[in-house]
Amino acid sequence: MKRILLFLFLSFPALSQSYKVSVGSNITSYEFANSAGTNPISLRSESGLALGLSREFSLSKVFVLDLGLAYNQFNTVGDIQNIPLAYSTDFIGLSLGVGPSLNLGKGFSFSAKAVASASSMVKGNQFIQNRYVDLFADKQFNSLRTLYGYSFEINKQINEQVGVFAKYQHLDSYNFGSSTLNFIPSTFSIGISLSK
């Protein structure tokens, strides 16, 4: 599996446009629904680190595709029946984005992409009643997490090889069932792009 991912990430040199490295913050909401369809927990958004490494390909003069690796912290705080609690989770996975990129002139461009990602939790804890609970025993956290959404990006090309960018991304896990937990992260990030 690792060899396949490495092949996808490094292949297609003729189509390659750039490598991108980004750092930012996830502002994540958890939406939990129990079997009765109600949310018994009052949760508030909390920030977490977002790191990304991707390779962007030109599909045409207008459309681009990027394939990347992502590390995300999806955190939240809140309370249940006046008992404070906090969730702290770390996920690693793949992301895929595709959409148009428009040249705005003077080295600026704007891109809007449909985004899909698949991530797996590598670490997770719940803090409740002055103790930590390992979330790996909870299937709502330790199963493969797929998220879908969109991103907007402003790029500035500094020279032929180097550019900088600012990006906003919104995703939702869209899990449904008798008892579900949805992650809804909004991510603000900045980064650098290196063209070949």
Side-chain angles (χ1 to χ4, degrees):
M1 182 66 174
K2 290 180 181 178
R3 289 181 182 177
I4 293 171
L5 296 176
L6 185 62
F7 173 76
L8 289 173
F9 193 68
L10 298 176
S11 62
F12 311 115
L15 299 176
S16 177
Q17 189 175 27
S18 61
Y19 289 98
K20 291 185 167 183
V21 178
S22 65
V23 60
S25 179
N26 292 311
I27 309 299
T28 306
S29 297
Y30 283 27
E31 287 192 2
F32 176 78
N34 61 19
S35 58
T38 61
N39 186 351
I41 306 174
S42 174
L43 297 173
R44 293 177 293 283
S45 300
E46 182 73 359
S47 63
L49 182 64
L51 299 173
L53 171 64
S54 65
R55 189 165 182 188
E56 189 172 75
F57 305 92
S58 296
L59 298 179
S60 69
K61 290 183 179 181
V62 177
F63 277 85
V64 293
L65 176 145
D66 69 48
L67 176 66
L69 302 172
Y71 166 78
N72 290 292
Q73 292 179 331
F74 299 140
N75 304 327
T76 192
V77 295
D79 60 80
I80 180 168
Q81 297 178 352
N82 295 321
I83 300 170
L85 58 86
Y87 289 91
S88 176
T89 62
D90 297 74
F91 284 80
I92 292 179
L94 295 174
S95 65
L96 177 70
V98 63
S101 180
L102 307 173
N103 188 348
L104 303 177
K106 296 186 178 181
F108 286 94
S109 64
F110 172 80
S111 64
K113 295 173 185 168
V115 179
S117 74
S119 300
S120 181
M121 189 177 74
V122 293
K123 180 185 174 188
N125 290 298
Q126 178 193 41
F127 181 75
I128 186 168
Q129 294 183 334
N130 294 321
R131 66 188 182 96
Y132 287 94
V133 178
D134 189 345
L135 292 174
F136 267 106
D138 190 332
K139 291 183 179 179
Q140 293 187 105
F141 287 89
N142 69 7
S143 59
L144 183 68
R145 176 74 48 172
T146 55
L147 299 103
Y148 309 93
Y150 56 86
S151 70
F152 300 111
E153 191 175 302
I154 294 284
N155 302 274
K156 168 62 175 170
Q157 201 66 29
I158 305 299
N159 56 43
E160 289 186 5
Q161 287 78 36
V162 180
V164 293
F165 63 90
K167 180 178 177 181
Y168 170 77
Q169 179 174 273
H170 181 82
L171 298 176
D172 194 321
S173 58
Y174 294 107
N175 285 332
F176 302 100
S178 59
S179 183
T180 62
L181 173 66
N182 285 304
F183 291 165
I184 308 174
S186 293
T187 307
F188 301 87
S189 58
I190 57 174
I192 186 169
S193 61
L194 303 173
S195 301
K196 294 184 75 174

